[in-house]
Amino acid sequence: MAEPITAVRYPFAIDGRLGRLARESDYESYIAQLIRQVLFTAQGERINRPDFGAGVKRLVFGPNSPATASLAQTMVYQALDKWLGSLIRIDDVQAKADAERLNITVVYTILSKREQRFLNVEVTF
């Protein structure tokens, strides 16, 4: 039986009971957290990895339109493929502009388990 993966939980937190970094032992939750981390980190935000992230939060400063949704779709796909390509296969990325929201759906397969999952993310304008 494979040993469970434990990693630092995202968003970063302290386990008050143990007095140390909170850990994530559920691999599927860990992968979803990594995806959110890539999506919401802006390029230039990390000192040692200036090209890390998709930076979808910066899209709120532009118009919410089909063109913005198309740009988000491309940014998300490229960033996830680059930074998480060894852990997941990106099956589909959909972005839809809806009033003051940009709805992003990522369909991915966890390579180690060969299981397809999806993640919905909402960016508000």
Side-chain angles (χ1 to χ4, degrees):
M1 180 180 223
E3 201 170 305
I5 292 181
T6 59
V8 175
R9 194 173 76 204
Y10 177 81
F12 185 79
I14 302 294
D15 185 334
R17 184 175 51 87
L18 299 174
R20 62 182 181 196
L21 292 176
R23 310 289 285 178
E24 182 61 66
S25 59
D26 179 40
Y27 192 65
E28 292 173 20
S29 296
Y30 171 67
I31 294 293
Q33 291 169 5
L34 288 177
I35 293 171
R36 284 187 192 95
Q37 192 172 5
V38 170
L39 295 183
F40 291 114
T41 301
Q43 291 187 345
E45 192 173 326
R46 290 199 172 180
I47 294 171
N48 293 324
R49 291 189 187 257
D51 57 338
F52 179 84
V56 296
K57 289 190 298 185
R58 71 180 171 171
L59 295 175
V60 301
F61 298 108
N64 191 20
S65 65
T68 301
S70 179
L71 175 62
Q73 190 171 335
T74 301
M75 289 170 45
V76 167
Y77 184 90
Q78 289 177 345
L80 290 175
D81 187 51
K82 178 177 183 176
W83 295 106
L84 300 179
S86 63
L87 300 174
I88 62 174
R89 182 184 67 230
I90 314 307
D91 298 322
D92 190 30
V93 175
Q94 293 294 320
K96 183 179 178 192
D98 183 28
E100 288 109 26
R101 291 189 314 256
L102 179 63
N103 297 312
I104 300 171
T105 301
V106 179
V107 180
Y108 60 96
T109 300
I110 300 173
L111 295 177
S112 65
K113 294 185 170 192
R114 291 189 170 100
E115 294 177 355
Q116 191 175 60
R117 298 280 182 255
F118 68 93
L119 180 68
N120 292 317
V121 177
E122 181 179 290
V123 181
T124 55
F125 283 74

